[in-house]
Amino acid sequence: MRAFNWSSFALGIGTINAFTCDPTSLQEYLGSGISVTSAKYLANNATFEVPSSDIGFPTSPTNLPALCALEVKVPSTSNSSYSFGLFLPDDWNGRFLAVGNSGFAGGINWLDMGAGVKYGFATISTDTGHSSTLLDASWAENDPEAFVDWSYRALHGSVLVAKDLTQKYYGKGPAFSYYTGCSTGGRQGLKEAEIFPDDFDGIVAGAPAWWTVHLQLWNMKVGMYNLPTDAPHHIPQELFPIIGAEVLRQCDGSDGVIDNIISDPRCCNFDPETLLCPGTTAGGCLTSPQLDTLYHLYGDWVEANQTFVFPHLELGSEGNWGMLLGSDEPTTLGTDYVKYVLGLGSNWTWQDFNPSVLALSEKLNPGNATAGFDLSAFSKKGGKILHYHGLSDGAIAAGSSLYYYNHVLRTLKPRGIDLDGFYRYFMVPGLEHCTGTSSTMNAPWYFAGANQAGALGTGVSSVPGFADAEHDVLLAMMAWVERGQAPEYIIGTKWNNDTLQDEVARQRPLCMYPKQAMYIGTGDVDDPQNWACEMLYGGNGLRKNN
Ligand SMILES: *[C@@H]1O[C@H](CO)[C@@H](O)[C@H](O)[C@H]1NC(C)=O
Ligand SMILES: *[C@@H]1O[C@H](CO)[C@@H](O)[C@H](O)[C@H]1NC(C)=O
Ligand SMILES: *[C@@H]1O[C@H](CO)[C@@H](O)[C@H](O)[C@H]1NC(C)=O
Ligand SMILES: *[C@@H]1O[C@H](CO)[C@@H](O)[C@H](O)[C@H]1NC(C)=O
Ligand SMILES: *[C@@H]1O[C@H](CO)[C@@H](O)[C@H](O)[C@H]1NC(C)=O
Ligand SMILES: *[C@@H]1O[C@H](CO)[C@@H](O)[C@H](O)[C@H]1NC(C)=O
């Protein structure tokens, strides 16, 4: 079994010397207007019972190390506020970690905090200033300040107060500060890097929902392509696995190995016509109008005046299409955004959509939520970013991450800033939205990214059995920030049964873009030793290994 060598990362840590873990003691250490919601000490191996009011992240983390659990409320404007949770472990590693949120959910992400505090980090999460479930944005109606809190203000403000409390609790401030988040959490991380470069030394950003002004509308548009359900062009959910199987049949081998994993969907010349029903028979095949829908789904969204709006779903994402395509209405991630954030009102329906809604979204740029490309200040102060995106993501097209990376490159390279020195991007074949892989692909999707430990179990942290900087993206970030060891790859893991983390089914390197994992040609394809990170094409222009 491999383990992270924490002793070589040891910091001189102060002793607990200020407030004790109770509301009265804590209150004295808070600034004016800031109040304690709860403060309680948990002995080793306890469960933190998530308050029933936290509908955004209701799952309770279990088997926690001994810690002080706080919830604190902070005003943001005269009539808005946000809260954050903070776990202060007895056995502190001297560092600070913030974890991110998901979708429009309003709530403290206690489950990801549980995974974080098990490394020894003082760990926080904000509720982003409202209470709601993942897909609900009705809280933003006539409340632009609440949307600003969700966009960035609650996280930044929480980080400042929580760092101060950490310093007071231990008698010494954190030596390094980290962030990990996926989806909305990925967006929060990139936004922090852009506008609050001093908050963190290292930011792990997964599947970032960074392009709010276009993404929310694309979430809806994808559903609209497949509606209404009684139209001839509608593809019922039962056909998604059939489409996925045909994509796999045509695309699996384009990386030189038949293993049910499509390493790079951009390298496949997929021919959807093979799915066309012969004659008039239907079932297990697609009609011509359904094929048109498929072309829309695999095509970029470009508006009539040639404006590129959002990239397409990737080949190989079919197993993850249920959320945007499996219902008789488009997702409220899109329609609630139009109704309550853009302010077109609760009577607006997706049938009312036209390009003026897109223009309005761009003009308003609500809350400035969309992350920008100028990360020069973060680069200058020595900050590091590890960004990843699952190529089987059906909720946020993976191409949007590459678009972001390329635009940061375009912004910084002309100014003489080398991206590889501070910002690395990793595509993850077979990973769906933040967590999981389809049972067909069975891809090595796990590397302790945000939300991933919680998908294995409520008491899981790091990569069970492989808690080291080669397999765990957060430890890789620590090694980069604190030791200058920049990761060229992270090894992804898939167990036979992820819940049990029993036998490893597969491991494989996830390579830093633009390199990709290439099979060396001999040995077990499920053993990471038999793969190398290389440029896809050799200097002669010929594809390698194929
Ligand atoms: C921690 O709690 C679990 C039950 O959740 C129990 O099985 C385990 O033995 C406990 N471990 C220790 C070290 O007390
Ligand atoms: C909060 O206060 C601002 C400024 O006074 C006001 O514009 C806004 O409508 C108020 N929001 C709510 C939800 O009351
Ligand atoms: C929505 O439509 C109903 C019925 O036409 C109407 O009574 C209501 O005022 C409308 N609501 C808004 C916010 O426009
Ligand atoms: C093209 O359309 C988009 C979306 O409606 C709009 O934002 C943009 O301003 C338009 N560009 C031009 C040149 O009209
Ligand atoms: C959004 O960004 C612009 C430009 O940086 C700034 O002027 C504006 O105050 C910001 N708005 C919010 C709500 O942060
Ligand atoms: C994994 O193990 C759990 C616990 O034994 C079991 O409930 C679950 O069905 C297993 N999953 C698979 C895919 O075999």
Side-chain angles (χ1 to χ4, degrees):
M1 184 178 298
R2 319 172 61 132
F4 191 63
N5 186 1
W6 280 99
S7 62
S8 75
F9 282 75
L11 300 166
I13 294 169
T15 48
I16 300 175
N17 70 352
F19 58 86
T20 52
C21 194
D22 66 81
T24 320
S25 172
L26 171 60
Q27 185 62 58
E28 287 177 43
Y29 289 86
L30 295 173
S32 75
I34 304 179
S35 58
V36 184
T37 306
S38 67
K40 61 187 162 208
Y41 184 80
L42 300 182
N44 186 38
N45 208 24
T47 295
F48 176 84
E49 297 293 346
V50 171
S52 58
S53 55
D54 191 341
I55 56 175
F57 298 88
T59 311
S60 297
T62 61
N63 311 98
L64 295 167
L67 55 80
C68 174
L70 309 177
E71 184 176 338
V72 169
K73 188 173 177 184
V74 186
S76 53
T77 66
S78 59
N79 57 7
S80 63
S81 66
Y82 50 83
S83 291
F84 66 84
L86 174 60
F87 283 158
L88 295 164
D90 285 6
D91 192 6
W92 185 42
N93 70 17
R95 298 165 178 86
F96 183 86
L97 175 72
V99 302
N101 300 86
S102 304
F104 290 131
I108 293 166
N109 185 352
W110 300 103
L111 189 60
D112 273 12
M113 285 172 63
V117 77
K118 288 192 171 85
Y119 296 84
F121 294 105
T123 307
I124 77 144
S125 162
T126 172
D127 68 355
T128 71
H130 68 276
S131 175
S132 80
T133 54
L134 183 74
L135 304 178
D136 174 12
S138 59
W139 49 270
E141 186 168 28
N142 298 321
D143 198 350
E145 295 299 344
F147 204 72
V148 176
D149 284 339
W150 174 83
S151 295
Y152 63 84
R153 190 167 54 197
L155 178 58
H156 174 62
S158 297
V159 165
L160 296 185
V161 179
K163 278 187 181 176
D164 180 50
L165 283 178
T166 302
Q167 197 267 326
K168 285 169 175 162
Y169 188 67
Y170 295 109
K172 180 168 185 161
F176 299 98
S177 296
Y178 296 95
Y179 175 84
T180 183
C182 195
S183 198
T184 278
R187 182 192 62 76
Q188 289 170 300
L190 297 176
K191 193 76 198 165
E192 279 275 337
E194 182 200 1
I195 63 176
F196 304 112
D198 293 331
D199 281 1
F200 301 110
D201 302 297
I203 290 173
V204 182
W210 68 269
W211 203 350
T212 309
V213 294
H214 284 190
L215 168 64
Q216 306 314 136
L217 300 177
W218 174 85
N219 284 156
M220 176 176 66
K221 184 84 172 169
V222 168
M224 286 166 58
Y225 288 140
N226 201 32
L227 291 174
T229 51
D230 58 2
H233 68 259
H234 175 70
I235 306 175
Q237 204 166 351
E238 306 85 80
L239 286 178
F240 299 168
I242 289 167
I243 300 166
E246 179 60 13
V247 168
L248 196 60
R249 191 184 70 81
Q250 293 189 33
C251 301
D252 183 355
S254 61
D255 55 14
V257 186
I258 304 283
D259 59 356
N260 287 344
I261 298 175
I262 302 169
S263 299
D264 190 347
R266 299 170 308 161
C267 289
C268 179
N269 281 323
F270 179 61
D271 173 16
E273 264 69 18
T274 56
L275 285 162
L276 189 61
C277 298
T280 54
T281 49
C285 56
L286 271 65
T287 62
S288 291
Q290 289 174 327
L291 272 189
D292 287 342
T293 301
L294 204 56
Y295 274 94
H296 282 306
L297 297 174
Y298 291 138
D300 292 340
W301 180 14
V302 179
E303 265 310 326
N305 65 10
Q306 294 303 304
T307 307
F308 173 80
V309 185
F310 212 77
H312 56 85
L313 286 164
E314 296 288 357
L315 295 164
S317 63
E318 302 76 19
N320 202 210
W321 281 2
M323 181 168 157
L324 298 184
L325 291 164
S327 135
D328 54 4
E329 287 283 322
T331 175
T332 53
L333 287 172
T335 51
D336 269 18
Y337 174 78
V338 177
K339 292 175 183 179
Y340 307 116
V341 182
L342 299 184
L344 296 189
S346 56
N347 285 349
W348 190 88
T349 74
W350 61 269
Q351 287 90 347
D352 300 331
F353 180 80
N354 65 58
S356 75
V357 178
L358 177 60
L360 178 67
S361 182
E362 288 181 349
K363 177 168 155 269
L364 295 178
N365 184 15
N368 282 350
T370 295
F373 307 127
D374 185 357
L375 305 181
S376 55
F378 192 65
S379 152
K380 195 170 167 204
K381 80 129 202 193
K384 309 285 186 237
I385 297 174
L386 292 174
H387 172 176
Y388 61 86
H389 206 127
L391 292 177
S392 293
D393 192 324
I396 301 179
S400 61
S401 272
L402 189 54
Y403 184 97
Y404 184 84
Y405 174 88
N406 284 334
H407 279 73
V408 174
L409 185 73
R410 286 191 206 179
T411 307
L412 300 187
K413 192 174 173 184
R415 296 200 226 158
I417 299 172
D418 167 39
L419 240 58
D420 290 353
F422 88 102
Y423 173 14
R424 297 183 172 207
Y425 173 54
F426 300 76
M427 295 185 189
V428 187
L431 169 65
E432 299 189 333
H433 188 54
C434 300
T435 65
T437 183
S438 71
S439 55
T440 317
M441 285 206 189
N442 220 33
W445 64 276
Y446 188 90
F447 43 86
N451 313 156
Q452 292 192 343
L456 300 190
T458 54
V460 177
S461 179
S462 188
V463 185
F466 302 90
D468 60 45
E470 228 184 335
H471 297 80
D472 175 323
V473 69
L474 192 53
L475 294 177
M477 175 55 89
M478 268 183 62
W480 194 9
V481 166
E482 300 181 29
R483 291 287 179 279
Q485 294 157 4
E488 306 273 321
Y489 62 86
I490 310 287
I491 294 177
T493 297
K494 172 80 186 78
W495 288 272
N496 282 333
N497 184 324
D498 290 333
T499 309
L500 301 175
Q501 304 114 53
D502 49 0
E503 265 174 68
V504 170
R506 291 176 150 175
Q507 287 182 320
R508 189 170 298 183
L510 312 166
C511 300
M512 160 188 163
Y513 181 81
K515 289 185 176 175
Q516 71 172 232
M518 307 287 277
Y519 179 54
I520 61 171
T522 54
D524 183 357
V525 295
D526 297 333
D527 182 343
Q529 302 296 325
N530 300 323
W531 293 76
C533 291
E534 290 178 23
M535 298 301 285
L536 190 54
Y537 291 91
N540 57 6
L542 293 176
R543 186 149 183 172
K544 293 178 178 174
N545 280 350
N546 213 347

PDB file of all heavy atoms in Angstrom, residues 439 494-502, ligand 6:
ATOM      1  N   SER A 439     -21.293   1.924 -16.808  1.00  0.00           N
ATOM      2  CA  SER A 439     -20.920   0.533 -16.545  1.00  0.00           C
ATOM      3  C   SER A 439     -20.306  -0.093 -17.799  1.00  0.00           C
ATOM      4  O   SER A 439     -19.570  -1.066 -17.709  1.00  0.00           O
ATOM      5  CB  SER A 439     -22.134  -0.252 -16.069  1.00  0.00           C
ATOM      6  OG  SER A 439     -23.174  -0.127 -17.016  1.00  0.00           O
ATOM      7  N   LYS A 494     -10.197   2.777 -10.976  1.00  0.00           N
ATOM      8  CA  LYS A 494     -11.549   2.192 -10.975  1.00  0.00           C
ATOM      9  C   LYS A 494     -11.472   0.873 -10.220  1.00  0.00           C
ATOM     10  O   LYS A 494     -10.624   0.046 -10.529  1.00  0.00           O
ATOM     11  CB  LYS A 494     -12.021   1.939 -12.412  1.00  0.00           C
ATOM     12  CG  LYS A 494     -13.330   1.170 -12.541  1.00  0.00           C
ATOM     13  CD  LYS A 494     -14.539   2.065 -12.319  1.00  0.00           C
ATOM     14  CE  LYS A 494     -15.858   1.293 -12.293  1.00  0.00           C
ATOM     15  NZ  LYS A 494     -16.107   0.588 -11.018  1.00  0.00           N
ATOM     16  N   TRP A 495     -12.320   0.738  -9.194  1.00  0.00           N
ATOM     17  CA  TRP A 495     -12.369  -0.533  -8.465  1.00  0.00           C
ATOM     18  C   TRP A 495     -13.429  -1.432  -9.093  1.00  0.00           C
ATOM     19  O   TRP A 495     -14.340  -0.947  -9.786  1.00  0.00           O
ATOM     20  CB  TRP A 495     -12.729  -0.288  -6.996  1.00  0.00           C
ATOM     21  CG  TRP A 495     -11.631   0.350  -6.208  1.00  0.00           C
ATOM     22  CD1 TRP A 495     -10.616  -0.279  -5.543  1.00  0.00           C
ATOM     23  CD2 TRP A 495     -11.430   1.760  -5.977  1.00  0.00           C
ATOM     24  NE1 TRP A 495      -9.802   0.652  -4.921  1.00  0.00           N
ATOM     25  CE2 TRP A 495     -10.282   1.893  -5.172  1.00  0.00           C
ATOM     26  CE3 TRP A 495     -12.101   2.913  -6.386  1.00  0.00           C
ATOM     27  CZ2 TRP A 495      -9.785   3.138  -4.760  1.00  0.00           C
ATOM     28  CZ3 TRP A 495     -11.613   4.150  -5.980  1.00  0.00           C
ATOM     29  CH2 TRP A 495     -10.472   4.256  -5.175  1.00  0.00           C
ATOM     30  N   ASN A 496     -13.352  -2.713  -8.825  1.00  0.00           N
ATOM     31  CA  ASN A 496     -14.426  -3.609  -9.279  1.00  0.00           C
ATOM     32  C   ASN A 496     -15.739  -3.147  -8.684  1.00  0.00           C
ATOM     33  O   ASN A 496     -16.750  -3.061  -9.374  1.00  0.00           O
ATOM     34  CB  ASN A 496     -14.144  -5.060  -8.860  1.00  0.00           C
ATOM     35  CG  ASN A 496     -13.110  -5.701  -9.757  1.00  0.00           C
ATOM     36  OD1 ASN A 496     -12.965  -5.311 -10.936  1.00  0.00           O
ATOM     37  ND2 ASN A 496     -12.378  -6.659  -9.231  1.00  0.00           N
ATOM     38  N   ASN A 497     -15.711  -2.815  -7.405  1.00  0.00           N
ATOM     39  CA  ASN A 497     -16.892  -2.253  -6.741  1.00  0.00           C
ATOM     40  C   ASN A 497     -16.435  -0.978  -6.022  1.00  0.00           C
ATOM     41  O   ASN A 497     -15.789  -1.035  -4.985  1.00  0.00           O
ATOM     42  CB  ASN A 497     -17.486  -3.277  -5.757  1.00  0.00           C
ATOM     43  CG  ASN A 497     -18.766  -2.755  -5.124  1.00  0.00           C
ATOM     44  OD1 ASN A 497     -18.888  -1.567  -4.841  1.00  0.00           O
ATOM     45  ND2 ASN A 497     -19.711  -3.649  -4.893  1.00  0.00           N
ATOM     46  N   ASP A 498     -16.806   0.163  -6.599  1.00  0.00           N
ATOM     47  CA  ASP A 498     -16.324   1.441  -6.068  1.00  0.00           C
ATOM     48  C   ASP A 498     -16.782   1.677  -4.625  1.00  0.00           C
ATOM     49  O   ASP A 498     -16.074   2.301  -3.837  1.00  0.00           O
ATOM     50  CB  ASP A 498     -16.807   2.603  -6.947  1.00  0.00           C
ATOM     51  CG  ASP A 498     -16.112   2.621  -8.297  1.00  0.00           C
ATOM     52  OD1 ASP A 498     -14.974   2.123  -8.398  1.00  0.00           O
ATOM     53  OD2 ASP A 498     -16.718   3.139  -9.256  1.00  0.00           O
ATOM     54  N   THR A 499     -17.971   1.180  -4.293  1.00  0.00           N
ATOM     55  CA  THR A 499     -18.483   1.369  -2.936  1.00  0.00           C
ATOM     56  C   THR A 499     -17.597   0.666  -1.911  1.00  0.00           C
ATOM     57  O   THR A 499     -17.380   1.163  -0.811  1.00  0.00           O
ATOM     58  CB  THR A 499     -19.919   0.797  -2.829  1.00  0.00           C
ATOM     59  OG1 THR A 499     -20.675   1.335  -3.901  1.00  0.00           O
ATOM     60  CG2 THR A 499     -20.565   1.149  -1.521  1.00  0.00           C
ATOM     61  N   LEU A 500     -17.096  -0.500  -2.306  1.00  0.00           N
ATOM     62  CA  LEU A 500     -16.261  -1.273  -1.389  1.00  0.00           C
ATOM     63  C   LEU A 500     -14.781  -0.935  -1.530  1.00  0.00           C
ATOM     64  O   LEU A 500     -13.979  -1.258  -0.667  1.00  0.00           O
ATOM     65  CB  LEU A 500     -16.457  -2.775  -1.659  1.00  0.00           C
ATOM     66  CG  LEU A 500     -17.872  -3.329  -1.512  1.00  0.00           C
ATOM     67  CD1 LEU A 500     -17.923  -4.782  -1.928  1.00  0.00           C
ATOM     68  CD2 LEU A 500     -18.342  -3.185  -0.065  1.00  0.00           C
ATOM     69  N   GLN A 501     -14.422  -0.289  -2.639  1.00  0.00           N
ATOM     70  CA  GLN A 501     -13.002  -0.032  -2.972  1.00  0.00           C
ATOM     71  C   GLN A 501     -12.194  -1.312  -2.746  1.00  0.00           C
ATOM     72  O   GLN A 501     -11.193  -1.332  -2.034  1.00  0.00           O
ATOM     73  CB  GLN A 501     -12.413   1.109  -2.142  1.00  0.00           C
ATOM     74  CG  GLN A 501     -13.178   2.415  -2.259  1.00  0.00           C
ATOM     75  CD  GLN A 501     -13.815   2.806  -0.951  1.00  0.00           C
ATOM     76  OE1 GLN A 501     -13.137   2.865   0.058  1.00  0.00           O
ATOM     77  NE2 GLN A 501     -15.111   3.071  -0.948  1.00  0.00           N
ATOM     78  N   ASP A 502     -12.702  -2.366  -3.345  1.00  0.00           N
ATOM     79  CA  ASP A 502     -12.109  -3.691  -3.154  1.00  0.00           C
ATOM     80  C   ASP A 502     -10.904  -3.887  -4.069  1.00  0.00           C
ATOM     81  O   ASP A 502      -9.852  -3.332  -3.838  1.00  0.00           O
ATOM     82  CB  ASP A 502     -13.189  -4.761  -3.366  1.00  0.00           C
ATOM     83  CG  ASP A 502     -13.977  -4.550  -4.673  1.00  0.00           C
ATOM     84  OD1 ASP A 502     -13.695  -3.581  -5.406  1.00  0.00           O
ATOM     85  OD2 ASP A 502     -14.873  -5.351  -4.965  1.00  0.00           O
TER      86      ASP A 502
HETATM   87  C1  LIG B   6     -20.932  -3.206  -4.353  1.00  0.00           C
HETATM   88  O1  LIG B   6     -21.012  -3.667  -3.048  1.00  0.00           O
HETATM   89  C2  LIG B   6     -22.149  -3.217  -2.343  1.00  0.00           C
HETATM   90  C3  LIG B   6     -22.002  -3.590  -0.887  1.00  0.00           C
HETATM   91  O2  LIG B   6     -21.734  -4.970  -0.770  1.00  0.00           O
HETATM   92  C4  LIG B   6     -23.385  -3.811  -3.015  1.00  0.00           C
HETATM   93  O3  LIG B   6     -24.543  -3.363  -2.355  1.00  0.00           O
HETATM   94  C5  LIG B   6     -23.415  -3.352  -4.468  1.00  0.00           C
HETATM   95  O4  LIG B   6     -24.488  -3.970  -5.145  1.00  0.00           O
HETATM   96  C6  LIG B   6     -22.122  -3.690  -5.158  1.00  0.00           C
HETATM   97  N1  LIG B   6     -22.113  -3.038  -6.448  1.00  0.00           N
HETATM   98  C7  LIG B   6     -21.851  -3.692  -7.557  1.00  0.00           C
HETATM   99  C8  LIG B   6     -21.872  -2.893  -8.808  1.00  0.00           C
HETATM  100  O5  LIG B   6     -21.582  -4.880  -7.571  1.00  0.00           O
END
